[in-house]
Amino acid sequence: MLNQQSITKRKPSSHQTIKINKEKEMRENIVKAIEVYLSRSCYSSHPDGRFDNAKRWYPSASEERFCCDDIRPPSRAYPSSLNKHCRSIKHIAALYDVDETILRRVARKVAKGVSTIEAVNDAMK
């Protein structure tokens, strides 16, 4: 027969605590990333960068990531190539250090009207 002392809850180990904290941090980053993606995709917010005299847009050092290396440099013919890329899921996933696939899943669910938190919880399963 179990006594009251054997039923007491144990504290999580430090390894479990670290894992819980990392998962919580990842969820928070995904929520931030999806908010930024949605606002950038409808042009209500803008990536950090500058325009030159020929109206070509360049990302700032804090905005630039490894994924930007594959994008054509801005030219007079294509002045917003990097600006458009910096609004993409691929770039925002790199910016917030989250998995691009998970971010795409969340974006699809949010577009269908699911709340952000619910979409993140479903995508993290």
Side-chain angles (χ1 to χ4, degrees), residues 30-55:
I30 291 171
V31 169
K32 289 177 192 173
I34 198 66
E35 288 172 356
V36 168
Y37 170 70
L38 293 172
S39 67
R40 284 187 183 183
S41 64
C42 67
Y43 288 79
S44 61
S45 73
H46 307 286
D48 189 30
R50 63 177 177 76
F51 287 94
D52 67 3
N53 291 339
K55 298 183 182 175

mmCIF file with all atom_site columns, all heavy atoms in Angstrom, residues 30-55:
data_model
loop_
_atom_site.group_PDB
_atom_site.id
_atom_site.type_symbol
_atom_site.label_atom_id
_atom_site.label_alt_id
_atom_site.label_comp_id
_atom_site.label_asym_id
_atom_site.label_entity_id
_atom_site.label_seq_id
_atom_site.pdbx_PDB_ins_code
_atom_site.Cartn_x
_atom_site.Cartn_y
_atom_site.Cartn_z
_atom_site.occupancy
_atom_site.B_iso_or_equiv
_atom_site.pdbx_formal_charge
_atom_site.auth_seq_id
_atom_site.auth_comp_id
_atom_site.auth_asym_id
_atom_site.auth_atom_id
_atom_site.pdbx_PDB_model_num
ATOM 1   N N   . ILE A 1 30 ? 9.369  31.101 -32.095 1.00 0.00 ? 30 ILE A N   1
ATOM 2   C CA  . ILE A 1 30 ? 8.451  30.827 -33.201 1.00 0.00 ? 30 ILE A CA  1
ATOM 3   C C   . ILE A 1 30 ? 7.314  31.834 -33.204 1.00 0.00 ? 30 ILE A C   1
ATOM 4   O O   . ILE A 1 30 ? 6.920  32.340 -34.261 1.00 0.00 ? 30 ILE A O   1
ATOM 5   C CB  . ILE A 1 30 ? 7.922  29.381 -33.132 1.00 0.00 ? 30 ILE A CB  1
ATOM 6   C CG1 . ILE A 1 30 ? 9.061  28.392 -33.429 1.00 0.00 ? 30 ILE A CG1 1
ATOM 7   C CG2 . ILE A 1 30 ? 6.778  29.168 -34.113 1.00 0.00 ? 30 ILE A CG2 1
ATOM 8   C CD1 . ILE A 1 30 ? 8.713  26.948 -33.175 1.00 0.00 ? 30 ILE A CD1 1
ATOM 9   N N   . VAL A 1 31 ? 6.787  32.154 -32.036 1.00 0.00 ? 31 VAL A N   1
ATOM 10  C CA  . VAL A 1 31 ? 5.705  33.143 -31.945 1.00 0.00 ? 31 VAL A CA  1
ATOM 11  C C   . VAL A 1 31 ? 6.196  34.507 -32.443 1.00 0.00 ? 31 VAL A C   1
ATOM 12  O O   . VAL A 1 31 ? 5.516  35.178 -33.233 1.00 0.00 ? 31 VAL A O   1
ATOM 13  C CB  . VAL A 1 31 ? 5.154  33.244 -30.503 1.00 0.00 ? 31 VAL A CB  1
ATOM 14  C CG1 . VAL A 1 31 ? 4.234  34.433 -30.344 1.00 0.00 ? 31 VAL A CG1 1
ATOM 15  C CG2 . VAL A 1 31 ? 4.428  31.961 -30.123 1.00 0.00 ? 31 VAL A CG2 1
ATOM 16  N N   . LYS A 1 32 ? 7.397  34.918 -32.017 1.00 0.00 ? 32 LYS A N   1
ATOM 17  C CA  . LYS A 1 32 ? 7.952  36.193 -32.478 1.00 0.00 ? 32 LYS A CA  1
ATOM 18  C C   . LYS A 1 32 ? 8.166  36.167 -33.990 1.00 0.00 ? 32 LYS A C   1
ATOM 19  O O   . LYS A 1 32 ? 7.858  37.133 -34.697 1.00 0.00 ? 32 LYS A O   1
ATOM 20  C CB  . LYS A 1 32 ? 9.283  36.478 -31.789 1.00 0.00 ? 32 LYS A CB  1
ATOM 21  C CG  . LYS A 1 32 ? 9.182  36.819 -30.331 1.00 0.00 ? 32 LYS A CG  1
ATOM 22  C CD  . LYS A 1 32 ? 10.573 36.995 -29.752 1.00 0.00 ? 32 LYS A CD  1
ATOM 23  C CE  . LYS A 1 32 ? 10.561 37.056 -28.250 1.00 0.00 ? 32 LYS A CE  1
ATOM 24  N NZ  . LYS A 1 32 ? 11.920 37.054 -27.684 1.00 0.00 ? 32 LYS A NZ  1
ATOM 25  N N   . ALA A 1 33 ? 8.706  35.056 -34.482 1.00 0.00 ? 33 ALA A N   1
ATOM 26  C CA  . ALA A 1 33 ? 9.008  34.938 -35.911 1.00 0.00 ? 33 ALA A CA  1
ATOM 27  C C   . ALA A 1 33 ? 7.740  34.994 -36.760 1.00 0.00 ? 33 ALA A C   1
ATOM 28  O O   . ALA A 1 33 ? 7.714  35.672 -37.791 1.00 0.00 ? 33 ALA A O   1
ATOM 29  C CB  . ALA A 1 33 ? 9.768  33.644 -36.183 1.00 0.00 ? 33 ALA A CB  1
ATOM 30  N N   . ILE A 1 34 ? 6.684  34.323 -36.325 1.00 0.00 ? 34 ILE A N   1
ATOM 31  C CA  . ILE A 1 34 ? 5.458  34.326 -37.119 1.00 0.00 ? 34 ILE A CA  1
ATOM 32  C C   . ILE A 1 34 ? 4.823  35.710 -37.111 1.00 0.00 ? 34 ILE A C   1
ATOM 33  O O   . ILE A 1 34 ? 4.275  36.149 -38.129 1.00 0.00 ? 34 ILE A O   1
ATOM 34  C CB  . ILE A 1 34 ? 4.470  33.219 -36.674 1.00 0.00 ? 34 ILE A CB  1
ATOM 35  C CG1 . ILE A 1 34 ? 3.421  32.957 -37.762 1.00 0.00 ? 34 ILE A CG1 1
ATOM 36  C CG2 . ILE A 1 34 ? 3.767  33.579 -35.387 1.00 0.00 ? 34 ILE A CG2 1
ATOM 37  C CD1 . ILE A 1 34 ? 3.959  32.381 -39.014 1.00 0.00 ? 34 ILE A CD1 1
ATOM 38  N N   . GLU A 1 35 ? 4.921  36.422 -35.996 1.00 0.00 ? 35 GLU A N   1
ATOM 39  C CA  . GLU A 1 35 ? 4.394  37.788 -35.944 1.00 0.00 ? 35 GLU A CA  1
ATOM 40  C C   . GLU A 1 35 ? 5.153  38.692 -36.907 1.00 0.00 ? 35 GLU A C   1
ATOM 41  O O   . GLU A 1 35 ? 4.550  39.497 -37.632 1.00 0.00 ? 35 GLU A O   1
ATOM 42  C CB  . GLU A 1 35 ? 4.463  38.333 -34.522 1.00 0.00 ? 35 GLU A CB  1
ATOM 43  C CG  . GLU A 1 35 ? 3.455  37.694 -33.578 1.00 0.00 ? 35 GLU A CG  1
ATOM 44  C CD  . GLU A 1 35 ? 3.651  38.082 -32.131 1.00 0.00 ? 35 GLU A CD  1
ATOM 45  O OE1 . GLU A 1 35 ? 4.632  38.807 -31.814 1.00 0.00 ? 35 GLU A OE1 1
ATOM 46  O OE2 . GLU A 1 35 ? 2.826  37.668 -31.305 1.00 0.00 ? 35 GLU A OE2 1
ATOM 47  N N   . VAL A 1 36 ? 6.473  38.552 -36.925 1.00 0.00 ? 36 VAL A N   1
ATOM 48  C CA  . VAL A 1 36 ? 7.296  39.361 -37.838 1.00 0.00 ? 36 VAL A CA  1
ATOM 49  C C   . VAL A 1 36 ? 6.992  38.981 -39.286 1.00 0.00 ? 36 VAL A C   1
ATOM 50  O O   . VAL A 1 36 ? 6.843  39.853 -40.150 1.00 0.00 ? 36 VAL A O   1
ATOM 51  C CB  . VAL A 1 36 ? 8.800  39.189 -37.519 1.00 0.00 ? 36 VAL A CB  1
ATOM 52  C CG1 . VAL A 1 36 ? 9.668  39.773 -38.610 1.00 0.00 ? 36 VAL A CG1 1
ATOM 53  C CG2 . VAL A 1 36 ? 9.126  39.825 -36.184 1.00 0.00 ? 36 VAL A CG2 1
ATOM 54  N N   . TYR A 1 37 ? 6.876  37.680 -39.562 1.00 0.00 ? 37 TYR A N   1
ATOM 55  C CA  . TYR A 1 37 ? 6.580  37.244 -40.929 1.00 0.00 ? 37 TYR A CA  1
ATOM 56  C C   . TYR A 1 37 ? 5.253  37.818 -41.410 1.00 0.00 ? 37 TYR A C   1
ATOM 57  O O   . TYR A 1 37 ? 5.160  38.338 -42.525 1.00 0.00 ? 37 TYR A O   1
ATOM 58  C CB  . TYR A 1 37 ? 6.556  35.715 -41.021 1.00 0.00 ? 37 TYR A CB  1
ATOM 59  C CG  . TYR A 1 37 ? 6.012  35.240 -42.339 1.00 0.00 ? 37 TYR A CG  1
ATOM 60  C CD1 . TYR A 1 37 ? 6.748  35.411 -43.514 1.00 0.00 ? 37 TYR A CD1 1
ATOM 61  C CD2 . TYR A 1 37 ? 4.754  34.666 -42.437 1.00 0.00 ? 37 TYR A CD2 1
ATOM 62  C CE1 . TYR A 1 37 ? 6.243  35.019 -44.738 1.00 0.00 ? 37 TYR A CE1 1
ATOM 63  C CE2 . TYR A 1 37 ? 4.239  34.265 -43.650 1.00 0.00 ? 37 TYR A CE2 1
ATOM 64  C CZ  . TYR A 1 37 ? 4.990  34.442 -44.792 1.00 0.00 ? 37 TYR A CZ  1
ATOM 65  O OH  . TYR A 1 37 ? 4.481  34.054 -46.007 1.00 0.00 ? 37 TYR A OH  1
ATOM 66  N N   . LEU A 1 38 ? 4.230  37.709 -40.584 1.00 0.00 ? 38 LEU A N   1
ATOM 67  C CA  . LEU A 1 38 ? 2.912  38.204 -40.992 1.00 0.00 ? 38 LEU A CA  1
ATOM 68  C C   . LEU A 1 38 ? 2.919  39.712 -41.217 1.00 0.00 ? 38 LEU A C   1
ATOM 69  O O   . LEU A 1 38 ? 2.318  40.207 -42.178 1.00 0.00 ? 38 LEU A O   1
ATOM 70  C CB  . LEU A 1 38 ? 1.858  37.819 -39.957 1.00 0.00 ? 38 LEU A CB  1
ATOM 71  C CG  . LEU A 1 38 ? 1.577  36.321 -39.839 1.00 0.00 ? 38 LEU A CG  1
ATOM 72  C CD1 . LEU A 1 38 ? 0.662  36.054 -38.662 1.00 0.00 ? 38 LEU A CD1 1
ATOM 73  C CD2 . LEU A 1 38 ? 1.007  35.763 -41.126 1.00 0.00 ? 38 LEU A CD2 1
ATOM 74  N N   . SER A 1 39 ? 3.613  40.455 -40.360 1.00 0.00 ? 39 SER A N   1
ATOM 75  C CA  . SER A 1 39 ? 3.636  41.910 -40.536 1.00 0.00 ? 39 SER A CA  1
ATOM 76  C C   . SER A 1 39 ? 4.492  42.324 -41.737 1.00 0.00 ? 39 SER A C   1
ATOM 77  O O   . SER A 1 39 ? 4.151  43.264 -42.449 1.00 0.00 ? 39 SER A O   1
ATOM 78  C CB  . SER A 1 39 ? 4.119  42.604 -39.264 1.00 0.00 ? 39 SER A CB  1
ATOM 79  O OG  . SER A 1 39 ? 5.461  42.313 -39.006 1.00 0.00 ? 39 SER A OG  1
ATOM 80  N N   . ARG A 1 40 ? 5.582  41.594 -41.977 1.00 0.00 ? 40 ARG A N   1
ATOM 81  C CA  . ARG A 1 40 ? 6.417  41.927 -43.135 1.00 0.00 ? 40 ARG A CA  1
ATOM 82  C C   . ARG A 1 40 ? 5.750  41.518 -44.437 1.00 0.00 ? 40 ARG A C   1
ATOM 83  O O   . ARG A 1 40 ? 5.892  42.208 -45.450 1.00 0.00 ? 40 ARG A O   1
ATOM 84  C CB  . ARG A 1 40 ? 7.790  41.249 -43.040 1.00 0.00 ? 40 ARG A CB  1
ATOM 85  C CG  . ARG A 1 40 ? 8.708  41.915 -42.059 1.00 0.00 ? 40 ARG A CG  1
ATOM 86  C CD  . ARG A 1 40 ? 10.090 41.311 -42.125 1.00 0.00 ? 40 ARG A CD  1
ATOM 87  N NE  . ARG A 1 40 ? 10.966 41.895 -41.128 1.00 0.00 ? 40 ARG A NE  1
ATOM 88  C CZ  . ARG A 1 40 ? 12.246 41.599 -40.997 1.00 0.00 ? 40 ARG A CZ  1
ATOM 89  N NH1 . ARG A 1 40 ? 12.811 40.717 -41.805 1.00 0.00 ? 40 ARG A NH1 1
ATOM 90  N NH2 . ARG A 1 40 ? 12.975 42.178 -40.070 1.00 0.00 ? 40 ARG A NH2 1
ATOM 91  N N   . SER A 1 41 ? 5.052  40.400 -44.432 1.00 0.00 ? 41 SER A N   1
ATOM 92  C CA  . SER A 1 41 ? 4.451  39.927 -45.680 1.00 0.00 ? 41 SER A CA  1
ATOM 93  C C   . SER A 1 41 ? 3.321  40.847 -46.150 1.00 0.00 ? 41 SER A C   1
ATOM 94  O O   . SER A 1 41 ? 3.048  40.925 -47.347 1.00 0.00 ? 41 SER A O   1
ATOM 95  C CB  . SER A 1 41 ? 3.956  38.491 -45.534 1.00 0.00 ? 41 SER A CB  1
ATOM 96  O OG  . SER A 1 41 ? 2.918  38.411 -44.591 1.00 0.00 ? 41 SER A OG  1
ATOM 97  N N   . CYS A 1 42 ? 2.665  41.549 -45.234 1.00 0.00 ? 42 CYS A N   1
ATOM 98  C CA  . CYS A 1 42 ? 1.620  42.502 -45.650 1.00 0.00 ? 42 CYS A CA  1
ATOM 99  C C   . CYS A 1 42 ? 2.156  43.944 -45.621 1.00 0.00 ? 42 CYS A C   1
ATOM 100 O O   . CYS A 1 42 ? 1.369  44.894 -45.698 1.00 0.00 ? 42 CYS A O   1
ATOM 101 C CB  . CYS A 1 42 ? 0.371  42.356 -44.790 1.00 0.00 ? 42 CYS A CB  1
ATOM 102 S SG  . CYS A 1 42 ? 0.585  42.827 -43.080 1.00 0.00 ? 42 CYS A SG  1
ATOM 103 N N   . TYR A 1 43 ? 3.469  44.097 -45.500 1.00 0.00 ? 43 TYR A N   1
ATOM 104 C CA  . TYR A 1 43 ? 4.153  45.391 -45.568 1.00 0.00 ? 43 TYR A CA  1
ATOM 105 C C   . TYR A 1 43 ? 3.739  46.371 -44.471 1.00 0.00 ? 43 TYR A C   1
ATOM 106 O O   . TYR A 1 43 ? 3.827  47.578 -44.645 1.00 0.00 ? 43 TYR A O   1
ATOM 107 C CB  . TYR A 1 43 ? 3.984  46.042 -46.948 1.00 0.00 ? 43 TYR A CB  1
ATOM 108 C CG  . TYR A 1 43 ? 4.784  45.334 -48.022 1.00 0.00 ? 43 TYR A CG  1
ATOM 109 C CD1 . TYR A 1 43 ? 4.325  44.153 -48.598 1.00 0.00 ? 43 TYR A CD1 1
ATOM 110 C CD2 . TYR A 1 43 ? 6.009  45.831 -48.435 1.00 0.00 ? 43 TYR A CD2 1
ATOM 111 C CE1 . TYR A 1 43 ? 5.063  43.497 -49.567 1.00 0.00 ? 43 TYR A CE1 1
ATOM 112 C CE2 . TYR A 1 43 ? 6.755  45.186 -49.407 1.00 0.00 ? 43 TYR A CE2 1
ATOM 113 C CZ  . TYR A 1 43 ? 6.277  44.011 -49.967 1.00 0.00 ? 43 TYR A CZ  1
ATOM 114 O OH  . TYR A 1 43 ? 7.017  43.368 -50.920 1.00 0.00 ? 43 TYR A OH  1
ATOM 115 N N   . SER A 1 44 ? 3.291  45.844 -43.322 1.00 0.00 ? 44 SER A N   1
ATOM 116 C CA  . SER A 1 44 ? 3.004  46.753 -42.205 1.00 0.00 ? 44 SER A CA  1
ATOM 117 C C   . SER A 1 44 ? 4.251  46.987 -41.352 1.00 0.00 ? 44 SER A C   1
ATOM 118 O O   . SER A 1 44 ? 4.282  47.905 -40.545 1.00 0.00 ? 44 SER A O   1
ATOM 119 C CB  . SER A 1 44 ? 1.855  46.232 -41.354 1.00 0.00 ? 44 SER A CB  1
ATOM 120 O OG  . SER A 1 44 ? 2.157  44.982 -40.806 1.00 0.00 ? 44 SER A OG  1
ATOM 121 N N   . SER A 1 45 ? 5.281  46.158 -41.533 1.00 0.00 ? 45 SER A N   1
ATOM 122 C CA  . SER A 1 45 ? 6.599  46.434 -40.954 1.00 0.00 ? 45 SER A CA  1
ATOM 123 C C   . SER A 1 45 ? 7.645  46.106 -42.016 1.00 0.00 ? 45 SER A C   1
ATOM 124 O O   . SER A 1 45 ? 7.339  45.447 -43.016 1.00 0.00 ? 45 SER A O   1
ATOM 125 C CB  . SER A 1 45 ? 6.836  45.622 -39.675 1.00 0.00 ? 45 SER A CB  1
ATOM 126 O OG  . SER A 1 45 ? 7.057  44.265 -39.980 1.00 0.00 ? 45 SER A OG  1
ATOM 127 N N   . HIS A 1 46 ? 8.844  46.558 -41.784 1.00 0.00 ? 46 HIS A N   1
ATOM 128 C CA  . HIS A 1 46 ? 9.873  46.448 -42.812 1.00 0.00 ? 46 HIS A CA  1
ATOM 129 C C   . HIS A 1 46 ? 11.171 45.898 -42.223 1.00 0.00 ? 46 HIS A C   1
ATOM 130 O O   . HIS A 1 46 ? 11.496 46.174 -41.068 1.00 0.00 ? 46 HIS A O   1
ATOM 131 C CB  . HIS A 1 46 ? 10.138 47.811 -43.446 1.00 0.00 ? 46 HIS A CB  1
ATOM 132 C CG  . HIS A 1 46 ? 8.887  48.459 -43.932 1.00 0.00 ? 46 HIS A CG  1
ATOM 133 N ND1 . HIS A 1 46 ? 8.222  48.041 -45.061 1.00 0.00 ? 46 HIS A ND1 1
ATOM 134 C CD2 . HIS A 1 46 ? 8.136  49.471 -43.425 1.00 0.00 ? 46 HIS A CD2 1
ATOM 135 C CE1 . HIS A 1 46 ? 7.142  48.770 -45.239 1.00 0.00 ? 46 HIS A CE1 1
ATOM 136 N NE2 . HIS A 1 46 ? 7.062  49.641 -44.252 1.00 0.00 ? 46 HIS A NE2 1
ATOM 137 N N   . PRO A 1 47 ? 11.932 45.153 -43.030 1.00 0.00 ? 47 PRO A N   1
ATOM 138 C CA  . PRO A 1 47 ? 13.239 44.690 -42.556 1.00 0.00 ? 47 PRO A CA  1
ATOM 139 C C   . PRO A 1 47 ? 14.184 45.876 -42.366 1.00 0.00 ? 47 PRO A C   1
ATOM 140 O O   . PRO A 1 47 ? 14.025 46.923 -43.012 1.00 0.00 ? 47 PRO A O   1
ATOM 141 C CB  . PRO A 1 47 ? 13.727 43.768 -43.659 1.00 0.00 ? 47 PRO A CB  1
ATOM 142 C CG  . PRO A 1 47 ? 12.801 43.914 -44.805 1.00 0.00 ? 47 PRO A CG  1
ATOM 143 C CD  . PRO A 1 47 ? 11.613 44.678 -44.361 1.00 0.00 ? 47 PRO A CD  1
ATOM 144 N N   . ASP A 1 48 ? 15.152 45.686 -41.489 1.00 0.00 ? 48 ASP A N   1
ATOM 145 C CA  . ASP A 1 48 ? 16.114 46.740 -41.200 1.00 0.00 ? 48 ASP A CA  1
ATOM 146 C C   . ASP A 1 48 ? 17.108 46.834 -42.358 1.00 0.00 ? 48 ASP A C   1
ATOM 147 O O   . ASP A 1 48 ? 17.749 45.845 -42.718 1.00 0.00 ? 48 ASP A O   1
ATOM 148 C CB  . ASP A 1 48 ? 16.835 46.422 -39.882 1.00 0.00 ? 48 ASP A CB  1
ATOM 149 C CG  . ASP A 1 48 ? 17.688 47.574 -39.400 1.00 0.00 ? 48 ASP A CG  1
ATOM 150 O OD1 . ASP A 1 48 ? 17.332 48.733 -39.686 1.00 0.00 ? 48 ASP A OD1 1
ATOM 151 O OD2 . ASP A 1 48 ? 18.702 47.300 -38.736 1.00 0.00 ? 48 ASP A OD2 1
ATOM 152 N N   . GLY A 1 49 ? 17.213 48.004 -42.954 1.00 0.00 ? 49 GLY A N   1
ATOM 153 C CA  . GLY A 1 49 ? 18.128 48.189 -44.077 1.00 0.00 ? 49 GLY A CA  1
ATOM 154 C C   . GLY A 1 49 ? 18.095 49.625 -44.563 1.00 0.00 ? 49 GLY A C   1
ATOM 155 O O   . GLY A 1 49 ? 17.540 50.501 -43.898 1.00 0.00 ? 49 GLY A O   1
ATOM 156 N N   . ARG A 1 50 ? 18.703 49.834 -45.727 1.00 0.00 ? 50 ARG A N   1
ATOM 157 C CA  . ARG A 1 50 ? 18.797 51.195 -46.248 1.00 0.00 ? 50 ARG A CA  1
ATOM 158 C C   . ARG A 1 50 ? 18.669 51.185 -47.774 1.00 0.00 ? 50 ARG A C   1
ATOM 159 O O   . ARG A 1 50 ? 18.925 50.168 -48.419 1.00 0.00 ? 50 ARG A O   1
ATOM 160 C CB  . ARG A 1 50 ? 20.119 51.836 -45.863 1.00 0.00 ? 50 ARG A CB  1
ATOM 161 C CG  . ARG A 1 50 ? 21.319 51.108 -46.452 1.00 0.00 ? 50 ARG A CG  1
ATOM 162 C CD  . ARG A 1 50 ? 22.657 51.765 -46.154 1.00 0.00 ? 50 ARG A CD  1
ATOM 163 N NE  . ARG A 1 50 ? 23.746 50.969 -46.683 1.00 0.00 ? 50 ARG A NE  1
ATOM 164 C CZ  . ARG A 1 50 ? 24.097 50.899 -47.961 1.00 0.00 ? 50 ARG A CZ  1
ATOM 165 N NH1 . ARG A 1 50 ? 23.452 51.595 -48.861 1.00 0.00 ? 50 ARG A NH1 1
ATOM 166 N NH2 . ARG A 1 50 ? 25.098 50.137 -48.354 1.00 0.00 ? 50 ARG A NH2 1
ATOM 167 N N   . PHE A 1 51 ? 18.279 52.325 -48.312 1.00 0.00 ? 51 PHE A N   1
ATOM 168 C CA  . PHE A 1 51 ? 18.233 52.523 -49.758 1.00 0.00 ? 51 PHE A CA  1
ATOM 169 C C   . PHE A 1 51 ? 19.406 53.404 -50.163 1.00 0.00 ? 51 PHE A C   1
ATOM 170 O O   . PHE A 1 51 ? 19.781 54.317 -49.433 1.00 0.00 ? 51 PHE A O   1
ATOM 171 C CB  . PHE A 1 51 ? 16.925 53.224 -50.169 1.00 0.00 ? 51 PHE A CB  1
ATOM 172 C CG  . PHE A 1 51 ? 15.723 52.340 -50.095 1.00 0.00 ? 51 PHE A CG  1
ATOM 173 C CD1 . PHE A 1 51 ? 14.933 52.318 -48.962 1.00 0.00 ? 51 PHE A CD1 1
ATOM 174 C CD2 . PHE A 1 51 ? 15.389 51.529 -51.163 1.00 0.00 ? 51 PHE A CD2 1
ATOM 175 C CE1 . PHE A 1 51 ? 13.814 51.512 -48.894 1.00 0.00 ? 51 PHE A CE1 1
ATOM 176 C CE2 . PHE A 1 51 ? 14.268 50.711 -51.114 1.00 0.00 ? 51 PHE A CE2 1
ATOM 177 C CZ  . PHE A 1 51 ? 13.488 50.696 -49.967 1.00 0.00 ? 51 PHE A CZ  1
ATOM 178 N N   . ASP A 1 52 ? 19.970 53.133 -51.334 1.00 0.00 ? 52 ASP A N   1
ATOM 179 C CA  . ASP A 1 52 ? 21.016 54.025 -51.836 1.00 0.00 ? 52 ASP A CA  1
ATOM 180 C C   . ASP A 1 52 ? 20.382 55.026 -52.806 1.00 0.00 ? 52 ASP A C   1
ATOM 181 O O   . ASP A 1 52 ? 19.167 55.082 -52.952 1.00 0.00 ? 52 ASP A O   1
ATOM 182 C CB  . ASP A 1 52 ? 22.163 53.228 -52.472 1.00 0.00 ? 52 ASP A CB  1
ATOM 183 C CG  . ASP A 1 52 ? 21.769 52.506 -53.751 1.00 0.00 ? 52 ASP A CG  1
ATOM 184 O OD1 . ASP A 1 52 ? 20.613 52.647 -54.209 1.00 0.00 ? 52 ASP A OD1 1
ATOM 185 O OD2 . ASP A 1 52 ? 22.622 51.790 -54.306 1.00 0.00 ? 52 ASP A OD2 1
ATOM 186 N N   . ASN A 1 53 ? 21.225 55.836 -53.466 1.00 0.00 ? 53 ASN A N   1
ATOM 187 C CA  . ASN A 1 53 ? 20.716 56.886 -54.364 1.00 0.00 ? 53 ASN A CA  1
ATOM 188 C C   . ASN A 1 53 ? 19.962 56.328 -55.567 1.00 0.00 ? 53 ASN A C   1
ATOM 189 O O   . ASN A 1 53 ? 19.116 57.008 -56.146 1.00 0.00 ? 53 ASN A O   1
ATOM 190 C CB  . ASN A 1 53 ? 21.864 57.774 -54.844 1.00 0.00 ? 53 ASN A CB  1
ATOM 191 C CG  . ASN A 1 53 ? 22.416 58.620 -53.719 1.00 0.00 ? 53 ASN A CG  1
ATOM 192 O OD1 . ASN A 1 53 ? 21.731 58.842 -52.718 1.00 0.00 ? 53 ASN A OD1 1
ATOM 193 N ND2 . ASN A 1 53 ? 23.653 59.069 -53.862 1.00 0.00 ? 53 ASN A ND2 1
ATOM 194 N N   . ALA A 1 54 ? 20.258 55.101 -55.960 1.00 0.00 ? 54 ALA A N   1
ATOM 195 C CA  . ALA A 1 54 ? 19.587 54.484 -57.116 1.00 0.00 ? 54 ALA A CA  1
ATOM 196 C C   . ALA A 1 54 ? 18.365 53.665 -56.673 1.00 0.00 ? 54 ALA A C   1
ATOM 197 O O   . ALA A 1 54 ? 17.849 52.857 -57.440 1.00 0.00 ? 54 ALA A O   1
ATOM 198 C CB  . ALA A 1 54 ? 20.566 53.597 -57.864 1.00 0.00 ? 54 ALA A CB  1
ATOM 199 N N   . LYS A 1 55 ? 17.925 53.868 -55.443 1.00 0.00 ? 55 LYS A N   1
ATOM 200 C CA  . LYS A 1 55 ? 16.748 53.198 -54.865 1.00 0.00 ? 55 LYS A CA  1
ATOM 201 C C   . LYS A 1 55 ? 16.916 51.685 -54.749 1.00 0.00 ? 55 LYS A C   1
ATOM 202 O O   . LYS A 1 55 ? 15.951 50.928 -54.811 1.00 0.00 ? 55 LYS A O   1
ATOM 203 C CB  . LYS A 1 55 ? 15.490 53.539 -55.658 1.00 0.00 ? 55 LYS A CB  1
ATOM 204 C CG  . LYS A 1 55 ? 15.177 55.020 -55.639 1.00 0.00 ? 55 LYS A CG  1
ATOM 205 C CD  . LYS A 1 55 ? 13.905 55.307 -56.365 1.00 0.00 ? 55 LYS A CD  1
ATOM 206 C CE  . LYS A 1 55 ? 13.667 56.818 -56.349 1.00 0.00 ? 55 LYS A CE  1
ATOM 207 N NZ  . LYS A 1 55 ? 12.527 57.216 -57.128 1.00 0.00 ? 55 LYS A NZ  1
#
